[in-house]
Amino acid sequence: MAAKPVVVYGASGYTGRLICEYLREYNVPFVAAGRDEGKLDASMRQNVAGIETADYEIVEVTHDTKELTELFRGASVVCNTVGPFSVYGPEVVEACLAAGTHYLDTTGEQDWMITCDEKYGSDFAAAGLLLAPGIAQMYTTGEIAAELCLEKPGLDTLDIAVFWGGSPTIASTLTILVNAATSGAFRLEQNRYEPWDPSAGLYQLVLPGQHELALALPWGGTSHPVWYRSDPRVANVKVLGGVFNNALMHGVPQIVAGALEATKDMNPEDRYAALTATASQVMNQMPPRENPRLNKSVDSVHASGPLGRAHCVIYGNSNYKQTGLMQAYAAYHLLQRPPRRVGFASACQAFGHRELLGVLTSFGLVREPTVTVES
């Protein structure tokens, strides 16, 4: 049973330790949990700034629904960073439901989002619990920009671009490959999921703030079409994203295509092992701590309707820090008061887009948005 109100599962990973860092800043006691006690201890002591002033404990746990349920019992919130979530998420979600704890994660896997919505959402709602996958910079900051546009009534179409500087982590590299190999990518058209063409390759985008055209991909479809599928304001959502490094963007489709071709005839277990090996060849070490001069982010949303338009741009930095902060704030919020919505919900639906924007700006991770509204 957890002796602290928040459990960070996967705390030794790049994102997990940032969540712990911001929980410390909010003075929230937490359990740093994972499958290797030694790795957890080293990660906390070496990588979490100010850890000596945090109220925390380390717990080693097997990735098993029964053991996770016992660990989560007594806690109020679980922040899950163990992916790929389509592979490892079900045990954690089921343990949260059994233990009576809110569930947050950092996923960008659209198939996992849909599973959370359709398979687990009603059970969490009935229990009065929040199920909020995908609280992360690549999804939530863009959602904040979309919500700022939607403050103007009559806009029903969202065209979203999400860009960031830096390299993916070990875990996110594996997630990209697994997601590409096992599921499609969807956009929203008239409230229905429509697939992106997997053979289309790179898209060129006009990105605010630069003259050079940016290269983008559907990036698994992202979370936004799932969040807005049942929103009466919105009928159409498409999202493209990428990194500012065009050379890296040129390489991503080739790496994914090669991995898919090499594993297409394998059974699921062998395919996962092969994709893991490929991911380790692409990225086998933790990225350095983010530098705001290098690790910049841009979230741009064009919203349109029959008689109106709005455009919002949010410039920021340190996308993994944005993720860690929003996860920690969400946990902190849930310890103080209930979410705005229980069951399956996005960060903005659960906590409010202007509240989340205030958190990000107060920590210096995004600037005030630029919003242009046309009648």
Side-chain angles (χ1 to χ4, degrees), residues 8-79:
V8 181
Y9 184 47
S12 62
Y14 192 90
T15 305
R17 63 202 197 196
L18 284 170
I19 296 172
C20 294
E21 182 175 325
Y22 284 110
L23 286 171
R24 167 201 164 269
E25 297 204 17
Y26 277 112
N27 294 314
V28 173
F30 63 90
V31 172
R35 289 166 285 186
D36 187 327
E37 182 177 359
K39 189 175 179 181
L40 286 162
D41 182 60
S43 185
M44 291 299 104
R45 289 188 291 104
Q46 297 172 14
N47 300 112
V48 179
I51 193 64
E52 66 279 359
T53 63
D55 181 1
Y56 77 104
E57 64 178 79
I58 290 171
V59 175
E60 182 176 295
V61 64
T62 302
H63 189 80
D64 169 82
T65 301
K66 183 177 179 180
E67 284 202 27
L68 290 169
T69 300
E70 283 303 307
L71 171 61
F72 298 163
R73 206 177 300 279
S76 296
V77 186
V78 171
C79 300

Side-chain angles (χ1 to χ4, degrees), residues 4-5 10 44 48 132 136 163 190 193 226 228 230 257-258 264 293 297 299 311 321 323 330 349:
K4 311 292 183 186
M44 291 299 104
V48 179
F163 273 76
Q190 295 303 312
Y193 292 132
V226 186
Y228 285 108
S230 300
K264 65 181 181 181
R293 297 178 65 237
S297 66
D299 292 86
H311 181 212
K321 288 184 182 179
T323 298
Q349 291 163 350

Side-chain angles (χ1 to χ4, degrees), residues 295-318:
N295 300 109
K296 301 173 185 177
S297 66
V298 175
D299 292 86
S300 175
V301 177
H302 286 282
S304 60
L307 297 175
R309 288 183 173 273
H311 181 212
C312 179
V313 184
I314 300 179
Y315 296 103
N317 66 77
S318 307

Side-chain angles (χ1 to χ4, degrees), residues 240-308:
L240 291 166
V243 296
F244 295 112
N245 184 331
N246 279 359
L248 179 58
M249 286 301 298
H250 277 295
V252 171
Q254 298 173 19
I255 294 168
V256 170
L260 297 187
E261 178 63 26
T263 62
K264 65 181 181 181
D265 297 323
M266 294 181 179
N267 62 50
E269 186 175 334
D270 291 341
R271 170 184 271 186
Y272 184 76
L275 293 173
T276 300
T278 301
S280 67
Q281 294 171 8
V282 176
M283 175 60 69
N284 61 6
Q285 61 184 1
M286 287 283 190
R289 188 174 176 84
E290 289 169 306
N291 180 339
R293 297 178 65 237
L294 302 174
N295 300 109
K296 301 173 185 177
S297 66
V298 175
D299 292 86
S300 175
V301 177
H302 286 282
S304 60
L307 297 175

